[in-house]
Amino acid sequence: MTTERARPNYVAVWVWLVVLMIAGVLASYLPFAKSAVIFLVFVVAAMKALLVALYYMHLRFESGLIYAMAIVPVVLVIALTFLLFPDLVFHH
């Protein structure tokens, strides 16, 4: 018995990555506060990392155990990002 999975549309994922990259670059030209722009860039980067992990690393098609192993580094990255965010924004 073979279990055949649908292959992800890599071109569509690549297009989304390019669009998100352009959005991240254009965010630096927005007339918002520096902290808001940095937060927006971090959100866009997190979305791109999620797309890469889900589709190019094939995590979307794995069992639940792989998610349990992958969640610890993600939580650490989010925690460190929020802990370092004030240093990035308010550094003199």
Side-chain angles (χ1 to χ4, degrees):
M1 199 165 33
T2 47
T3 57
E4 190 170 324
R5 296 184 213 157
R7 296 184 68 156
N9 187 353
Y10 292 115
V11 174
V13 174
W14 179 80
V15 168
W16 273 108
L17 288 172
V18 169
V19 167
L20 289 171
M21 183 215 33
I22 292 170
V25 170
L26 292 179
S28 64
Y29 295 108
L30 292 175
F32 296 139
K34 183 178 176 184
S35 60
V37 171
I38 290 174
F39 181 74
L40 182 63
V41 169
F42 271 102
V43 168
V44 169
M47 291 171 50
K48 291 189 311 186
L50 185 66
L51 276 174
V52 169
L54 287 177
Y55 291 101
Y56 290 115
M57 296 174 66
H58 304 284
L59 292 180
R60 184 170 184 206
F61 306 106
E62 294 294 331
S63 66
L65 179 62
I66 200 82
Y67 287 113
M69 291 180 351
I71 197 72
V72 172
V74 170
V75 169
L76 284 174
V77 166
I78 291 171
L80 288 174
T81 300
F82 282 115
L83 288 172
L84 292 174
F85 192 72
D87 288 339
L88 293 171
V89 176
F90 301 115
H91 131 242
H92 297 291

